[in-house]
Amino acid sequence: MKKPVKVTITGAAGHIGYALAFRVASGEMFGPDQPVILRLLEIPQALSSLNGVGMELEDCALPLLHDIVLTDDPSIGFRETDYALLIGAKPRSKGMERKDLILENAKIFAAQGRSINDNASGDVRVLVVGNPANTNALIAASNAPDLANRQFTAMTRLDHNRTMGQLANKTNSLVADIKRVNIWGNHSMTQYPDISNCLIDGKPAYDLVTRDWVIDHMIPRIQRRGAEIIEARGLSSAASAADAVVDHVHDWALGTSENDWVSMSVMSDGSYGVSEGVVFSFPVTCKEGEYEIVQGLDLDELSQSRLKTSEKELLEERAIIQELLPKG
Ligand code: NAD
Ligand code: LMR
């Protein structure tokens, strides 16, 4: 039997946390032979509800779930953890942009970055989901002086999956046959869903869809999809977000499929001319717990200008929270 992996979920009594915890515990994230210990972290006001989540987990009698820790103390929640899934934060409501949450949510990620630094495994991998996710990941990384920036990522996998879903519908194909879509930039209205390199059942996607459809319909739809769901549900996406968390961490830990890549927001290393010091979504491949940004893709003028727009927004977000970045 393998040694259990410790997984911390913050905001575990919230909508995404509730959809996620059971999937991690049942083996979907790390595979059917990998036991897990769940460390569920909430704020004091949500502890009663968190206790209910703990009871339900117990009632599932999941063979891979070796222990459950329920707490409102970050030093317990992050103790020796291998994976920290930072979900707990305020969601936006109708009419807001994700960056409108920045002042309210940013401090959570500064404190959690420090606590992860002091309590987690030295090899911890962090995924930030709470919005604005990219800038919150930058804050968490900057408050963890003993950890490497590459241990911190933010989630654009939901946008990636949304792009595959839209393409599958439009071309009447199976999602399983779609490869090499990717999201560039920020998890926001400026993100750039790119299908220039996409293959559908081995054929270039652009043989099956027109550039006008991509520019006038697909890209704006993906950029607005979060808001479209809030309009429809009165609440932000939760099950699809939890699903994307499972995908992101699964692929980071266990590797991406051959001849394909996924979208992850990671600390920019200057690839594709993107400024260092912002957490930007790139196409990446993963192997043995490490990601690499896919290099050498051609970017036409339109793509380059879209990347610049998203980079500019991330630099503006960074300026707003500059005082929360002790590493500089
Ligand atoms: P929710 O309000 O249902 O749940 C959030 C939970 O976090 C609550 O239970 C709350 O008590 C808890 N929480 C708040 N502060 C905390 C802290 N400091 N420590 C631990 N727990 C804390 O919200 P939700 O629908 O689960 O969404 C959570 C976040 O995820 C929001 O910011 C939302 O915008 C974001 N989100 C991101 C993506 C993405 O693709 N990156 C997708 C969907 C939602
Ligand atoms: C999403 O993309 O669904 C989330 O970021 C929630 C939101 O506010 O749009």
Side-chain angles (χ1 to χ4, degrees), residues 10-17 41-43 46 87-92 101 105 108 112 128-131 133 155 158-159 187 236-238 241:
T10 74
H15 289 92
I16 300 173
L41 178 64
E42 259 295 350
I43 51 173
I87 294 159
K90 194 173 169 190
R92 66 173 164 156
L101 296 164
N105 283 343
I108 298 175
Q112 291 184 349
V128 176
V129 176
N131 278 319
M155 193 164 89
L158 178 53
D159 311 284
H187 175 60
S236 65
S237 63

Side-chain angles (χ1 to χ4, degrees), residues 125-196:
R125 281 162 175 70
V126 182
L127 169 61
V128 176
V129 176
N131 278 319
N134 296 55
T135 296
N136 289 337
L138 173 68
I139 295 170
S142 302
N143 282 277
D146 305 326
L147 301 175
N149 285 335
R150 49 185 296 114
Q151 291 173 260
F152 290 80
T153 63
M155 193 164 89
T156 29
R157 185 60 177 267
L158 178 53
D159 311 284
H160 179 107
N161 289 349
R162 285 169 173 166
T163 306
M164 291 178 62
Q166 292 298 316
L167 267 181
N169 271 346
K170 177 69 182 171
T171 61
N172 206 14
S173 343
L174 297 174
V175 162
D177 291 332
I178 301 180
K179 308 264 182 267
R180 299 189 175 190
V181 303
N182 79 278
I183 306 295
W184 300 97
N186 196 5
H187 175 60
S188 74
M189 279 294 288
T190 67
Q191 68 175 277
Y192 173 41
D194 182 8
I195 63 157
S196 316

Side-chain angles (χ1 to χ4, degrees), residues 77-88:
F78 292 121
R79 188 172 295 160
E80 291 172 8
T81 203
D82 300 304
Y83 289 88
L85 313 181
L86 307 188
I87 294 159

